[in-house]
Amino acid sequence: NPNSVTFEERLDELQKQDEMAKKTQERLKGSPYKSWIQMNNDPKVRKNYRALLRENPTAGILFDFMSEHMDGRNALVCSYQVFQDALDIGRTTASKAVKTLVERGFIAVKRSGRSNVYLLNDNLVWKSWGKNKKYSEFPANIILSASEQYDIENTDFKTLKTVELHTEEENL
């Protein structure tokens, strides 16, 4: 089978990919552009963005917030509560802003269980070196809001109780 590889060949391929990823990360650490967001400067794109800001400033602010927090593949996972807390807006206002962004083609919203995955249009804005919109599996930055957490006080792992593990022989 021309598509099959041995375990050793695949392991070697994965190790090479890991090495390349490490080199890329090292290069990015020293880059003055690592925290930049790029925006398409095409006159049509800029005109549409200005129109969004004029017609629905909250949607523009939300798009800016999403751009700031998206990962290298233009994805972000968070709840409406995050938008509410970060931008000091109500749920209805956040919902209307998201709807406007979807209708205008600035973002797409996908579902993952009960969570929303926001995909920012990479023809408008991006963080990575190239276009990654064809990926269906990707990492995403996930933002949690403290006000949504059930028990925010018990998130300090230093306060967890130590659990002793026993081998099966000790249980006999």
Side-chain angles (χ1 to χ4, degrees), residues 43-88:
K44 291 178 186 176
V45 170
R46 302 299 295 180
K47 182 179 178 182
N48 284 330
Y49 185 63
R50 284 190 300 274
L52 173 72
L53 292 172
R54 218 176 11 260
E55 295 164 19
N56 189 335
T58 302
I61 292 168
L62 181 58
F63 185 74
D64 183 67
F65 177 82
M66 290 176 167
S67 299
E68 178 184 357
H69 294 285
M70 69 184 179
D71 67 4
R73 291 190 174 87
N74 287 23
L76 172 69
V77 176
C78 65
S79 67
Y80 274 88
Q81 189 65 47
V82 170
F83 299 149
Q84 291 172 242
D85 292 349
L87 305 176
D88 195 27

Side-chain angles (χ1 to χ4, degrees), residues 151-168:
D151 194 3
I152 195 70
E153 289 81 27
N154 288 334
T155 57
D156 181 10
F157 288 108
K158 293 176 187 171
T159 62
L160 291 178
K161 294 179 182 176
T162 304
V163 177
E164 293 184 30
L165 300 177
H166 300 281
T167 63
E168 192 172 312

Side-chain angles (χ1 to χ4, degrees), residues 87-153:
L87 305 176
D88 195 27
I89 58 177
R91 181 166 179 79
T92 302
T93 303
S95 178
K96 287 179 182 178
V98 167
K99 183 179 178 188
T100 298
L101 292 172
V102 170
E103 289 172 350
R104 304 273 312 250
F106 281 74
I107 67 170
V109 180
K110 302 297 179 188
R111 299 287 297 161
S112 178
R114 295 180 60 187
S115 300
N116 284 341
V117 179
Y118 301 96
L119 307 172
L120 282 75
N121 184 334
D122 65 355
N123 290 315
L124 303 170
V125 63
W126 64 95
K127 277 189 179 178
S128 67
W129 293 100
K131 294 188 175 215
N132 292 308
K133 65 183 175 183
K134 296 194 186 253
Y135 289 96
S136 59
E137 179 180 329
F138 48 85
N141 291 338
I142 300 173
I143 302 174
L144 303 177
S145 172
S147 65
E148 304 183 272
Q149 305 310 311
Y150 296 114
D151 194 3
I152 195 70
E153 289 81 27

